[in-house]
Amino acid sequence: MPTTAEQAKQSARRKAAIAHGFDLVAEVYGAPDSGAFVRRLGAGLVRRARLRPGDRVLDLGCGRGAVLFAAAEAVGPDGYAVGIDLSPGMVHATAAEIGAQRLRNLVVRVGDAEDPGFPSGSFEAVLAGLMLFITPDPAAVLGSAHRLLVPGGRFAMTSFGPADPAWERPVRAALAFADQQQSVREWSTNKGGNPLLDTPEQIADLFEQAGFDQIETVDEEDVATYTGPEEWWASVWNSGRRAALLELIPDERREDARKAAFAELASLEVDGGLTRRTTVRYTTATRG
Ligand SMILES: C[S@@+](CC[C@H](N)C(=O)[O-])C[C@H]1O[C@@H](n2cnc3c(N)ncnc32)[C@H](O)[C@@H]1O
């Protein structure tokens, strides 16, 4: 939790930037036609959360619902899933999807995972797909999640393990055209994540400090194939990395940046195809 007025201001600025960044991509992020990657991870997370019919589930940073829709299906009509997100654009688009599918056991609203605003013991499970390393204060999120769970309730989240350096080359090549090289350096140092969550040991420490038991982190490889460089570029452009990185490249240099990235991608092609392996990290824990 921010302890000084200056820290509180910084945290509020960071959250406004997160909301703005994900608003930019809300229409396309994880949408039914382009979100295979996040939906695979969402399904994996829900499997590991071992939800039961009738459970009440809170999904923190629900985005376009990769975790939320799978959770609502797992708990069935006697349970429900609530999604919260800082980004009004994400919430609006996901609410529209819930309405279009006429689903009755899930709702979404704008909210902050660091202080979701529900009474203690409201949920059998709290889930967080690809969000804990983005939020400014992961310890505050875990503290709230612990309080919101019933005794014996489960927390499950996804994050990323070590990145494949070969696949960072195309992004770096594009970022050479960016204006704010200081931001680029910060991204390179933190690999777009939070250094507090770099290793399974650090993750376990954070969870223990929040009071969790039975903390387990498992890495699993996800394999994604792209039809070509254009599809790869679209996957970055439609993700959280757009606001964090690609928007740092001025419009007039973006075409050159794209070409530089494509030149690097050419060296990653095998038999004319692009296959990317990502280490997905699943962490589960229990409120004792
Ligand atoms: C990478 S997206 C993941 C979305 C979704 N969980 C998924 O797995 O596809 C991260 C989401 O977390 C949200 N987010 C980040 N920090 C948050 C916070 N403190 N409270 C609520 N949402 C947050 C962002 O707005 C964004 O929609």
Tab-separated table of all heavy atoms in Angstrom, residues 39-61:
chain	number	residue	atom	x	y	z
A	39	ARG	N	-6.866	-17.210	-24.217
A	39	ARG	CA	-7.908	-18.182	-23.837
A	39	ARG	C	-7.302	-19.534	-23.429
A	39	ARG	O	-7.797	-20.195	-22.529
A	39	ARG	CB	-8.934	-18.350	-24.954
A	39	ARG	CG	-9.960	-17.202	-24.964
A	39	ARG	CD	-11.211	-17.585	-25.715
A	39	ARG	NE	-10.905	-18.050	-27.054
A	39	ARG	CZ	-10.617	-17.250	-28.075
A	39	ARG	NH1	-10.625	-15.946	-27.909
A	39	ARG	NH2	-10.330	-17.742	-29.260
A	40	ARG	N	-6.198	-19.923	-24.099
A	40	ARG	CA	-5.525	-21.164	-23.664
A	40	ARG	C	-5.055	-21.014	-22.220
A	40	ARG	O	-5.235	-21.904	-21.389
A	40	ARG	CB	-4.294	-21.443	-24.547
A	40	ARG	CG	-4.591	-22.094	-25.864
A	40	ARG	CD	-3.342	-22.732	-26.469
A	40	ARG	NE	-2.247	-21.821	-26.747
A	40	ARG	CZ	-2.141	-21.046	-27.826
A	40	ARG	NH1	-3.097	-21.030	-28.732
A	40	ARG	NH2	-1.075	-20.268	-28.012
A	41	LEU	N	-4.465	-19.854	-21.916
A	41	LEU	CA	-3.947	-19.635	-20.555
A	41	LEU	C	-5.098	-19.538	-19.551
A	41	LEU	O	-5.004	-20.035	-18.423
A	41	LEU	CB	-3.116	-18.345	-20.517
A	41	LEU	CG	-1.636	-18.466	-20.852
A	41	LEU	CD1	-1.372	-19.204	-22.144
A	41	LEU	CD2	-0.967	-17.117	-20.867
A	42	GLY	N	-6.198	-18.895	-19.969
A	42	GLY	CA	-7.364	-18.762	-19.087
A	42	GLY	C	-7.925	-20.131	-18.738
A	42	GLY	O	-8.236	-20.417	-17.570
A	43	ALA	N	-8.029	-21.003	-19.744
A	43	ALA	CA	-8.565	-22.348	-19.502
A	43	ALA	C	-7.630	-23.119	-18.570
A	43	ALA	O	-8.078	-23.823	-17.643
A	43	ALA	CB	-8.743	-23.084	-20.832
A	44	GLY	N	-6.312	-22.965	-18.779
A	44	GLY	CA	-5.322	-23.648	-17.921
A	44	GLY	C	-5.441	-23.179	-16.479
A	44	GLY	O	-5.349	-23.970	-15.533
A	45	LEU	N	-5.655	-21.878	-16.315
A	45	LEU	CA	-5.762	-21.310	-14.965
A	45	LEU	C	-7.007	-21.839	-14.253
A	45	LEU	O	-6.949	-22.241	-13.078
A	45	LEU	CB	-5.828	-19.780	-15.091
A	45	LEU	CG	-5.964	-18.976	-13.804
A	45	LEU	CD1	-4.829	-19.301	-12.858
A	45	LEU	CD2	-5.981	-17.486	-14.109
A	46	VAL	N	-8.119	-21.873	-14.968
A	46	VAL	CA	-9.371	-22.339	-14.356
A	46	VAL	C	-9.257	-23.824	-13.987
A	46	VAL	O	-9.719	-24.250	-12.921
A	46	VAL	CB	-10.557	-22.051	-15.306
A	46	VAL	CG1	-11.812	-22.807	-14.880
A	46	VAL	CG2	-10.827	-20.544	-15.338
A	47	ARG	N	-8.584	-24.605	-14.844
A	47	ARG	CA	-8.386	-26.028	-14.513
A	47	ARG	C	-7.628	-26.154	-13.185
A	47	ARG	O	-8.009	-26.918	-12.308
A	47	ARG	CB	-7.563	-26.685	-15.618
A	47	ARG	CG	-8.304	-27.732	-16.384
A	47	ARG	CD	-7.460	-28.582	-17.304
A	47	ARG	NE	-6.159	-28.117	-17.706
A	47	ARG	CZ	-5.905	-27.368	-18.777
A	47	ARG	NH1	-6.893	-26.972	-19.553
A	47	ARG	NH2	-4.674	-27.021	-19.092
A	48	ARG	N	-6.557	-25.356	-13.059
A	48	ARG	CA	-5.722	-25.466	-11.862
A	48	ARG	C	-6.407	-24.925	-10.612
A	48	ARG	O	-6.037	-25.277	-9.487
A	48	ARG	CB	-4.399	-24.747	-12.083
A	48	ARG	CG	-3.486	-25.536	-12.985
A	48	ARG	CD	-2.271	-24.752	-13.341
A	48	ARG	NE	-1.307	-25.601	-14.018
A	48	ARG	CZ	-1.385	-25.938	-15.293
A	48	ARG	NH1	-2.398	-25.508	-16.044
A	48	ARG	NH2	-0.477	-26.725	-15.838
A	49	ALA	N	-7.385	-24.045	-10.803
A	49	ALA	CA	-8.084	-23.472	-9.632
A	49	ALA	C	-9.048	-24.479	-9.018
A	49	ALA	O	-9.561	-24.265	-7.923
A	49	ALA	CB	-8.829	-22.207	-10.047
A	50	ARG	N	-9.285	-25.591	-9.725
A	50	ARG	CA	-10.167	-26.667	-9.231
A	50	ARG	C	-11.503	-26.105	-8.705
A	50	ARG	O	-11.888	-26.333	-7.544
A	50	ARG	CB	-9.458	-27.493	-8.159
A	50	ARG	CG	-8.213	-28.175	-8.669
A	50	ARG	CD	-7.841	-29.379	-7.843
A	50	ARG	NE	-7.608	-29.085	-6.447
A	50	ARG	CZ	-6.431	-28.802	-5.909
A	50	ARG	NH1	-5.357	-28.777	-6.668
A	50	ARG	NH2	-6.312	-28.572	-4.628
A	51	LEU	N	-12.181	-25.349	-9.561
A	51	LEU	CA	-13.471	-24.774	-9.173
A	51	LEU	C	-14.512	-25.880	-9.090
A	51	LEU	O	-14.426	-26.884	-9.821
A	51	LEU	CB	-13.897	-23.728	-10.221
A	51	LEU	CG	-12.910	-22.578	-10.431
A	51	LEU	CD1	-13.423	-21.628	-11.515
A	51	LEU	CD2	-12.673	-21.822	-9.133
A	52	ARG	N	-15.514	-25.656	-8.225
A	52	ARG	CA	-16.601	-26.641	-8.095
A	52	ARG	C	-17.922	-25.972	-8.456
A	52	ARG	O	-18.064	-24.747	-8.279
A	52	ARG	CB	-16.686	-27.165	-6.662
A	52	ARG	CG	-15.529	-28.071	-6.264
A	52	ARG	CD	-15.359	-28.086	-4.783
A	52	ARG	NE	-15.276	-26.707	-4.287
A	52	ARG	CZ	-14.978	-26.355	-3.049
A	52	ARG	NH1	-14.742	-27.281	-2.155
A	52	ARG	NH2	-14.916	-25.104	-2.679
A	53	PRO	N	-18.881	-26.780	-8.925
A	53	PRO	CA	-20.193	-26.194	-9.203
A	53	PRO	C	-20.697	-25.455	-7.968
A	53	PRO	O	-20.572	-25.950	-6.840
A	53	PRO	CB	-21.068	-27.419	-9.518
A	53	PRO	CG	-20.097	-28.450	-9.991
A	53	PRO	CD	-18.821	-28.214	-9.227
A	54	GLY	N	-21.225	-24.269	-8.174
A	54	GLY	CA	-21.761	-23.489	-7.054
A	54	GLY	C	-20.771	-22.493	-6.457
A	54	GLY	O	-21.158	-21.659	-5.637
A	55	ASP	N	-19.485	-22.584	-6.839
A	55	ASP	CA	-18.490	-21.651	-6.273
A	55	ASP	C	-18.770	-20.214	-6.693
A	55	ASP	O	-19.274	-19.950	-7.791
A	55	ASP	CB	-17.068	-22.012	-6.764
A	55	ASP	CG	-16.432	-23.118	-5.945
A	55	ASP	OD1	-17.016	-23.511	-4.913
A	55	ASP	OD2	-15.345	-23.593	-6.350
A	56	ARG	N	-18.388	-19.282	-5.799
A	56	ARG	CA	-18.396	-17.846	-6.123
A	56	ARG	C	-16.950	-17.451	-6.417
A	56	ARG	O	-16.062	-17.704	-5.591
A	56	ARG	CB	-18.928	-17.050	-4.929
A	56	ARG	CG	-20.360	-17.427	-4.537
A	56	ARG	CD	-20.675	-16.972	-3.131
A	56	ARG	NE	-19.845	-17.643	-2.135
A	56	ARG	CZ	-19.738	-17.263	-0.864
A	56	ARG	NH1	-20.412	-16.230	-0.425
A	56	ARG	NH2	-18.964	-17.927	-0.019
A	57	VAL	N	-16.754	-16.855	-7.599
A	57	VAL	CA	-15.386	-16.600	-8.076
A	57	VAL	C	-15.211	-15.123	-8.382
A	57	VAL	O	-16.082	-14.501	-8.996
A	57	VAL	CB	-15.117	-17.393	-9.379
A	57	VAL	CG1	-13.696	-17.149	-9.876
A	57	VAL	CG2	-15.356	-18.876	-9.180
A	58	LEU	N	-14.064	-14.573	-7.969
A	58	LEU	CA	-13.704	-13.201	-8.342
A	58	LEU	C	-12.513	-13.268	-9.295
A	58	LEU	O	-11.511	-13.916	-8.991
A	58	LEU	CB	-13.322	-12.402	-7.085
A	58	LEU	CG	-12.830	-10.969	-7.327
A	58	LEU	CD1	-13.938	-10.096	-7.945
A	58	LEU	CD2	-12.339	-10.334	-6.020
A	59	ASP	N	-12.629	-12.613	-10.452
A	59	ASP	CA	-11.536	-12.589	-11.431
A	59	ASP	C	-10.958	-11.176	-11.475
A	59	ASP	O	-11.614	-10.234	-11.914
A	59	ASP	CB	-12.085	-13.000	-12.815
A	59	ASP	CG	-10.996	-12.974	-13.876
A	59	ASP	OD1	-9.803	-13.085	-13.508
A	59	ASP	OD2	-11.338	-12.843	-15.066
A	60	LEU	N	-9.711	-11.050	-11.018
A	60	LEU	CA	-9.064	-9.732	-10.925
A	60	LEU	C	-8.393	-9.388	-12.247
A	60	LEU	O	-7.627	-10.194	-12.778
A	60	LEU	CB	-8.016	-9.769	-9.809
A	60	LEU	CG	-8.528	-10.172	-8.423
A	60	LEU	CD1	-7.354	-10.363	-7.461
A	60	LEU	CD2	-9.499	-9.127	-7.894
A	61	GLY	N	-8.649	-8.210	-12.780
A	61	GLY	CA	-8.057	-7.820	-14.074
A	61	GLY	C	-8.627	-8.699	-15.164
A	61	GLY	O	-7.887	-9.331	-15.918
